[in-house]
């Protein structure tokens, strides 16, 4: 079976698109998910992170340029990372995580067995 790639940039994700992404994650038919600068309703983001936690096929996740934009989304991502074991690359550059967001993510990142490529620059951290 060929595993798929979903790359969307600068779009507002519809309910249908989110449903399709979640189904692909749950059926282990997606290898790369890239949402770059996309606008996603909070409830849709939560659904995608729940599906990510169950996925065994995904190896790269790009949530760049503000997709992870608040505390609740950081917590959803951290919970997904604590369940997912297939990711090897996580890219969150351009996300306003700040010190609080990074502290929420740090444990799930440290305990994840597969992530070997991590990009977190431009996080608006305190100096």
């Amino acid at each position: 079976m060929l595993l798929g790639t979903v790359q969307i940039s600068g779009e507002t994700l519809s309910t249908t698109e989110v449903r399709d992404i979640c189904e692909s994650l749950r059926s282990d038919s997606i290898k790369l998910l890239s949402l770059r600068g996309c606008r996603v309703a909070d409830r849709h983001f939560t659904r995608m992170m729940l599906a990510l936690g169950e996925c065994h096929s995904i190896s790269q996740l790009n949530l760049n340029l503000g997709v992870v934009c608040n505390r609740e989304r950081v917590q959803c991502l951290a919970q997904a990372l604590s369940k997912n074991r297939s990711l090897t690359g996580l890219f969150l550059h351009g996300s306003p995580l700040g010190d609080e967001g990074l502290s929420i993510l740090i444990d799930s990142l440290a305990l994840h067995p597969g992530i070997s490529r991590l990009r977190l620059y431009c996080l608006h951290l305190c100096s």
Side-chain angles (χ1 to χ4, degrees):
M1 168 174 59
L2 294 176
L3 297 178
T5 297
V6 175
Q7 296 186 60
I8 305 172
S9 183
E11 301 289 328
T12 300
L13 296 186
S14 69
T15 300
T16 302
E17 289 168 318
V18 170
R19 184 196 67 225
D20 291 346
I21 291 169
C22 290
E23 286 176 5
S24 293
L25 288 166
R26 286 195 183 98
S27 67
D28 293 324
S29 62
I30 190 167
K31 184 92 168 156
L32 181 147
L33 175 60
S34 179
L35 304 177
R36 183 176 172 83
C38 290
R39 292 164 300 285
V40 184
D42 287 337
R43 71 182 188 280
H44 292 328
F45 185 84
T46 300
R47 286 178 57 207
M48 287 190 295
M49 292 303 101
L50 289 170
L52 174 70
E54 300 171 12
C55 185
H56 298 106
S57 64
I58 191 165
S59 63
Q60 185 170 317
L61 179 64
N62 304 339
L63 299 174
N64 304 327
L65 303 176
V67 176
V68 183
C69 58
N70 59 42
R71 185 183 210 287
E72 292 75 23
R73 289 187 181 200
V74 174
Q75 288 174 324
C76 284
L77 176 59
Q79 290 170 356
L81 292 175
S82 70
K83 294 177 183 173
N84 176 280
R85 294 295 174 243
S86 63
L87 273 178
T88 59
L90 177 63
F91 304 96
L92 300 174
H93 64 271
S95 298
L97 299 179
D99 293 336
E100 181 184 22
L102 192 55
S103 69
I104 292 169
L105 278 180
I106 199 75
D107 287 338
S108 57
L109 289 171
L111 296 174
H112 196 284
I115 295 176
S116 59
R117 293 169 295 144
L118 178 64
R119 293 207 180 115
L120 299 172
Y121 50 87
C122 260
L123 300 175
H124 307 286
L125 300 174
C126 295
S127 43

